[in-house]
Amino acid sequence: MPGVSIKDKVVLISGSNRGIGKSFAIQALEMGAKKVYAAARDESKLAGLVEKYGDKIIPLTLDVTDQDQVTAAAAAAGDVEVLINNAGIGGGGQIIGNPDESAKRIEMNVNYFGIMKMCIAFAPILKANGGGAIVNILSVASLSNFAFAPGYSASKAAGRSLTQALRVELAKQGTLVSGVFPGPVDTDMAKDIPMDKASPDSVAIHVYEEIAKGSEDIYPDPFAVQFAANVQADFKAVEKADAAGF
Ligand SMILES: NC(=O)c1ccc[n+]([C@@H]2O[C@H](COP(=O)([O-])OP(=O)(O)OC[C@H]3O[C@@H](n4cnc5c(N)ncnc54)[C@H](OP(=O)(O)O)[C@@H]3O)[C@@H](O)[C@H]2O)c1
């Protein structure tokens, strides 16, 4: 699939009020995007972006688990050419150690069904606008289950499988479908993880550079590159190392 440059494009980013999503919004405009639909559950949290970038930022209220809000976003943003499914959630804890199913359902609803709802709503829009790109923010945790976040890992693995399915289904309409597999990134989500972390800006810039080349699988930081190589070399060794460190 041909690459998609962010320059002069209309972009929609879910969860753009903080963390990596906010960096996706800022870096899109810094790299020449025409307009960003900045989506957030609470639109008031987008005030800083609007103040800085004026009418290049269009705020949207969007909880990706709410079908009515997803439908309304698609109705409001019919000129989108690049869809970034960034919204994500963790915190569901262990399986046996924390047998609360509801937290795992929230992870699955946001990280899997949320992406699915967004893609169903926006696929026809991307088609009408020439194909464009869908960028799903997954995680290295989708490549092998992380023992401290097993439900999150499962939901991200489901998102990875969904990304493969979308790539097949949307090839005919010329939509590039990319999965992004970050390692630890310096945001609220990873604040309690005592590891070196990539900056959210560096992740956003790397992703835009890669989709411009047509990359389908994007490892945006050194940890991610190494982790993916380890999984490819010896999947069972990665699984055992994770279990040993637990
Ligand atoms: N940080 C990392 O180490 C890391 C590593 C790999 C992958 N990721 C992935 O990168 C993406 C961004 O994460 P982050 O690190 O920036 O985390 P973050 O700082 O916790 O931000 C998460 C964003 O997702 C939004 N969100 C959560 N549930 C939502 C829903 N139902 N509908 C719409 N928006 C929702 C949050 O909105 P509110 O402000 O309203 O809560 C927030 O804007 C996620 O998909 C995450 O899984 C992160």
Side-chain angles (χ1 to χ4, degrees), residues 3-236:
V4 176
S5 164
I6 205 67
K7 191 162 183 333
D8 297 324
K9 292 294 186 303
V10 178
V11 190
L12 188 146
I13 302 153
S14 63
S16 62
N17 53 300
R18 61 189 171 104
I20 304 173
K22 187 173 183 181
S23 287
F24 272 124
I26 291 170
Q27 295 307 328
L29 292 174
E30 295 296 334
M31 294 172 80
K34 192 194 293 177
K35 181 163 86 177
V36 168
Y37 289 100
R41 290 195 282 195
D42 177 353
E43 228 182 279
S44 73
K45 294 185 176 158
L46 299 165
L49 280 176
V50 174
E51 199 175 310
K52 182 156 186 212
Y53 292 102
D55 60 8
K56 285 188 175 256
I57 292 275
I58 314 291
L60 283 182
T61 298
L62 178 64
D63 180 328
V64 297
T65 67
D66 183 322
Q67 185 61 58
D68 289 344
Q69 289 189 13
V70 170
T71 304
D79 51 355
V80 166
E81 297 165 290
V82 177
L83 170 65
I84 302 192
N85 288 309
N86 164 79
I89 202 160
Q94 298 171 255
I95 306 292
I96 310 299
N98 177 27
D100 168 18
E101 196 181 295
S102 63
K104 277 81 175 176
R105 286 190 183 278
I106 291 171
E107 291 173 325
M108 202 57 97
N109 275 337
V110 177
N111 300 340
Y112 174 62
F113 288 109
I115 294 180
M116 190 190 296
K117 280 189 203 309
M118 289 294 287
C119 290
I120 291 169
F122 279 90
I125 290 173
L126 295 172
K127 182 179 182 186
N129 296 330
I134 290 175
V135 182
N136 293 336
I137 311 307
L138 306 169
S139 170
V140 287
S142 72
L143 304 176
S144 180
N145 194 283
F146 282 12
F148 70 92
Y152 173 78
S153 293
S155 69
K156 289 291 184 177
R160 177 176 169 230
S161 187
L162 170 66
T163 301
Q164 291 178 293
L166 292 165
R167 188 172 297 133
V168 173
E169 286 198 48
L170 296 178
K172 283 192 288 293
Q173 69 172 50
T175 300
L176 171 68
V177 179
S178 301
V180 181
F181 304 89
V185 184
D186 194 7
T187 68
D188 294 343
M189 184 177 278
K191 66 181 186 314
D192 297 326
I193 300 176
M195 293 171 74
D196 288 344
K197 294 168 203 166
S199 78
D201 279 343
S202 70
V203 170
I205 291 167
H206 186 88
V207 168
Y208 289 139
E209 288 172 348
E210 288 299 313
I211 63 167
K213 297 181 215 161
S215 301
E216 294 178 346
D217 302 303
I218 302 174
Y219 305 94
D221 57 89
F223 181 96
V225 171
Q226 186 60 55
F227 191 85
N230 293 349
V231 168
Q232 196 157 25
D234 192 342
F235 179 75
K236 292 304 287 183

